Amino acid sequence: MHCDYSASMPLIQISQTPGLTSEQKAEVIAAVTRAYAEAAGKSESSVWVTLTEVPRENWGVGGTPLG
């Protein structure tokens, strides 16, 4: 597969708590790629997705740590 890196390359960054399997991560990346490409009229091959797992103790909601 050839990708033209001179074209617009959207980068979607997802941060989440750990827990997904490798298969689930692959499906999330594929689904987000498909959805963005369709909505933005871009080629799926130009969409970059990163998935970062952040330990629960490093998250807070409403001023309260999750971990």
Side-chain angles (χ1 to χ4, degrees):
M1 175 175 75
H2 173 72
C3 185
D4 179 6
Y5 294 114
S6 64
S8 173
M9 297 180 334
L11 169 62
I12 301 165
Q13 297 176 310
I14 302 168
S15 297
Q16 67 174 51
T17 56
L20 295 181
T21 65
S22 294
E23 293 80 15
Q24 289 171 317
K25 291 175 191 178
E27 182 53 37
V28 166
I29 290 169
V32 168
T33 298
R34 284 191 303 270
Y36 183 90
E38 181 180 330
K42 300 283 185 184
S43 167
E44 288 185 19
S45 66
S46 72
V47 180
W48 292 53
V49 178
T50 64
L51 198 153
T52 303
E53 293 183 318
V54 180
R56 290 183 64 83
E57 62 267 14
N58 293 346
W59 289 85
V61 177
T64 303
L66 291 181

